Amino acid sequence: MNKSIITLGFLFLLITSCVSKKDILYFQDSNQFPSVNITQLETKIQPNDILSISVSSLIPESAVPYNYQSPLGASSSVMNIEVMKLQGYLVNPKGDIEMPVLGTIAVKNKTILQLTDELKQILEQGGHLVKPSVNIRILNSKVTILGEVNAPGTYPFSEQYISLPQALGFAGDLTMNGKRNDILLIREADGVRTITHVDLTTANWMNDPKFSIKQNDVIIVNPNSKKIQSGGYNLSDLSTILGITSLIVSFIILFKK
């Protein structure tokens, strides 16, 4: 009887602590997806974005009036990103910015490339500058990652394009309790909020450009069924293991009596 109880106790610990590799491994069918050309959707400018716009020309002095003159007087060639945001152009709720000399410029839903070409055309065809050069970046792109990750939080990024795995890497990857086959990607654009479900155990989503991370996206990693069923106890915690062991020993002593 005692041996049976001990055996059952160890089996209980083993079963409750086991996780199938199908719940853990990423891109399990990756060998079925050959190399393909990647199509990326360019980021579109949205209200509340902060733009860095730098205008230059063959005669540098002639471009000075078309650049934002910071009241902070920062002259260093290397500036903190927060300082750069203060010197950037905030896109208002209507989707416009106010530029020196040029005045109001509509930027909403334009890509960086489209706005760059438009400003160069305005500057050149309007007789403002000869062969102007325009450099634009979004300064406040960020992604929020919550749930079963090792370091939840809001993370800034300066690239126009990052992938979903890259974003999750910011948060230190999923925990063992993260539900890998149902990641929620929440996105707001043009006043519309969409929620997309992504299965990271397969690779069939990777060629879809809509899964590139955009500014202000939110990623939610829900707990898997094992974590939910545990009801709050953590079998990786030493005190939990000792508690279960004590319970088994108590049953053994009880049956001995």
Side-chain angles (χ1 to χ4, degrees), residues 58-90:
L58 291 176
I59 305 175
E61 294 78 8
S62 63
V64 172
Y66 301 91
N67 288 286
Y68 178 75
Q69 303 301 311
S70 171
L72 302 177
S75 58
S76 173
S77 59
V78 179
M79 292 184 291
N80 182 281
I81 186 64
E82 296 303 321
V83 174
M84 293 176 66
K85 288 179 183 178
L86 291 175
Q87 297 181 0
Y89 297 91
L90 177 64

Side-chain angles (χ1 to χ4, degrees), residues 157-214:
F157 61 94
S158 56
E159 299 89 339
Q160 286 195 53
Y161 167 87
I162 63 171
S163 65
L164 178 58
Q166 281 178 299
L168 291 171
F170 293 158
D173 198 7
L174 279 66
T175 68
M176 291 294 287
N177 292 317
K179 192 174 183 181
R180 286 155 170 76
N181 62 356
D182 191 19
I183 306 295
L184 303 185
L185 176 59
I186 304 173
R187 175 171 299 161
E188 292 186 16
D190 298 329
V192 178
R193 181 183 294 111
T194 58
I195 300 178
T196 305
H197 297 257
V198 186
D199 183 357
L200 288 182
T201 64
T202 179
N204 64 2
W205 59 271
M206 296 183 70
N207 297 328
D208 192 334
K210 74 179 180 182
F211 292 114
S212 60
I213 298 302
K214 306 300 181 184

Side-chain angles (χ1 to χ4, degrees), residues 10-29:
F10 279 113
L11 284 174
F12 171 77
L13 288 174
L14 182 62
I15 292 172
T16 55
S17 61
C18 285
V19 178
S20 170
K21 68 178 183 179
K22 291 183 178 180
D23 298 325
I24 298 298
L25 298 181
Y26 295 119
F27 316 137
Q28 297 171 28
D29 53 359

Side-chain angles (χ1 to χ4, degrees), residues 6-7 16 25 41 52 56 60 73 93 110-111 138 146 179 184 200 205 216 226 233-234 252-253:
I6 293 173
T7 301
T16 55
L25 298 181
L41 291 180
S52 168
S56 59
K110 294 177 182 176
T111 67
I138 299 176
L146 303 173
K179 192 174 183 181
L184 303 185
L200 288 182
W205 59 271
N216 304 317
K226 177 179 177 293
Y233 65 80
N234 184 0
I252 293 173
I253 294 173

Side-chain angles (χ1 to χ4, degrees), residues 212-223:
S212 60
I213 298 302
K214 306 300 181 184
Q215 68 270 42
N216 304 317
D217 278 356
V218 178
I219 299 170
I220 306 292
V221 181
N222 286 319

